[in-house]
Amino acid sequence: MAAANPWDRAAEPNAAGLLLDRFVASGLVTQEMLNISKKSASCFVNFSRLQQMTNIQAEIYQKNLEIELLRLEKDAADVIHPSFLAQKCNALQNMNNHLEAVLKEKRSLRQRLLKPMCQENLPIEAVYHRYMVHLLELAVTFIERLENHLETIRNIPHLDENLKKMSKALAQMDILVTETEELAENILKWQEQQKEVSSCIPKILAEENYLHKHDAIMPSLPFTSKVHIQTVNAK
């Protein structure tokens, strides 16, 4: 419990209080001066605040250290945590037991590996028969498509070269299509010309027959034939 201030007039009367009462009564000290003396200095208040801030920063630093330690413990839990170490020890023990069993049965295992496994029936429980049927169907399908898959894998390194060849082939096809279109147009033009020629042939034959008839008449009628020939030529 804090001790009472001997200069506080409101406290229990003592010698200091009585002396201050006499000073106030005589006018040497005023009540305002006594009140100011009761107030704590501002510098001491700032010191106390600074001490509080220092304590809070120290506490924050301590909490950060604890958080960092917890993070490290979490990251290294699989190495240093007892439960994880126990699981690893159990796994290693099981592996050790398995290896010991393999070493004990080494001779029989070697004989089984040397013995061919052809035409032997593997015992399978009835519950798994339908799954085995499905598995065999998948195996047959996979074996049928295995060659195609292997060919696809072999062609992967040459994919860029094959794409270049395809691009060249497409360009050549475009050129051939253009040439084919031009050739079709020429054929159509030739067919039209042939139609025109075939339509003109009867006229040419009729004119030739007409000329042959008049050539036959010309020796007997020379003057008339000359006039007729000039007329035909004029036509």
Side-chain angles (χ1 to χ4, degrees):
M1 185 174 180
N5 187 0
W7 299 100
D8 190 0
R9 297 173 60 200
E12 187 178 354
N14 51 20
L18 296 174
L19 182 62
L20 288 175
D21 289 337
R22 289 180 181 179
F23 287 159
V24 171
S26 62
L28 294 175
V29 178
T30 62
Q31 188 64 38
E32 288 80 5
M33 295 172 64
L34 294 176
N35 293 333
I36 291 171
S37 64
K38 289 181 181 179
K39 295 181 180 179
S40 59
S42 60
C43 61
F44 294 104
V45 175
N46 293 331
F47 282 143
S48 62
R49 290 179 180 175
L50 182 62
Q51 185 65 34
Q52 291 177 359
M53 292 173 62
T54 304
N55 295 334
I56 293 172
Q57 288 178 355
E59 187 176 357
I60 292 171
Y61 181 73
Q62 185 66 28
K63 295 298 182 182
N64 289 331
L65 286 177
E66 293 177 0
I67 292 171
E68 190 66 26
L69 289 174
L70 290 174
R71 287 177 179 173
L72 290 174
E73 184 178 357
K74 181 181 178 182
D75 295 337
D78 58 343
V79 179
I80 61 175
H81 202 277
S83 61
F84 290 102
L85 291 175
Q87 292 178 3
K88 289 186 176 181
C89 289
N90 291 330
L92 290 173
Q93 188 64 35
N94 293 331
M95 188 181 296
N96 190 20
N97 295 333
H98 179 70
L99 292 175
E100 288 179 356
V102 170
L103 291 174
K104 289 179 181 178
E105 302 294 333
K106 180 174 66 174
R107 182 174 297 177
S108 60
L109 289 173
R110 184 178 295 173
Q111 290 177 358
R112 285 182 62 184
L113 292 173
L114 293 174
K115 183 180 178 181
M117 298 292 292
C118 298
Q119 297 179 356
E120 291 190 3
N121 296 325
L122 298 176
I124 300 175
E125 297 181 8
V127 181
Y128 303 109
H129 284 182
R130 58 176 182 175
Y131 302 110
M132 288 303 300
V133 171
H134 183 60
L135 181 62
L136 290 174
E137 291 178 355
L138 293 176
V140 170
T141 305
F142 176 76
I143 292 170
E144 290 177 351
R145 299 177 180 177
L146 180 61
E147 189 63 31
N148 293 331
H149 295 330
L150 293 175
E151 188 66 25
T152 303
I153 293 171
R154 293 192 194 100
N155 291 331
I156 287 175
H158 307 289
L159 187 60
D160 294 336
E161 185 177 356
N162 293 334
L163 289 174
K164 291 179 181 178
K165 290 181 179 179
M166 289 178 64
S167 300
K168 291 181 180 178
L170 289 173
Q172 292 179 356
M173 287 179 65
D174 292 336
I175 294 171
L176 291 174
V177 167
T178 305
E179 292 179 353
T180 305
E181 291 176 353
E182 292 178 355
L183 183 60
E185 291 178 357
N186 293 331
I187 290 172
L188 292 174
K189 291 179 181 179
W190 180 78
Q191 287 179 351
E192 291 177 358
Q193 292 176 357
Q194 292 295 321
K195 288 180 181 179
E196 293 177 357
V197 171
S198 60
S199 62
C200 293
I201 286 174
K203 295 180 180 179
I204 295 171
L205 292 175
E207 290 179 357
E208 289 181 352
N209 291 329
Y210 181 76
L211 292 173
H212 284 300
K213 289 179 180 179
H214 285 77
D215 288 339
I217 299 171
M218 283 175 63
S220 59
L221 299 171
F223 179 76
T224 307
S225 63
K226 287 181 181 181
V227 173
H228 184 71
I229 289 170
Q230 289 178 358
T231 306
V232 170
N233 289 332
K235 289 181 181 181

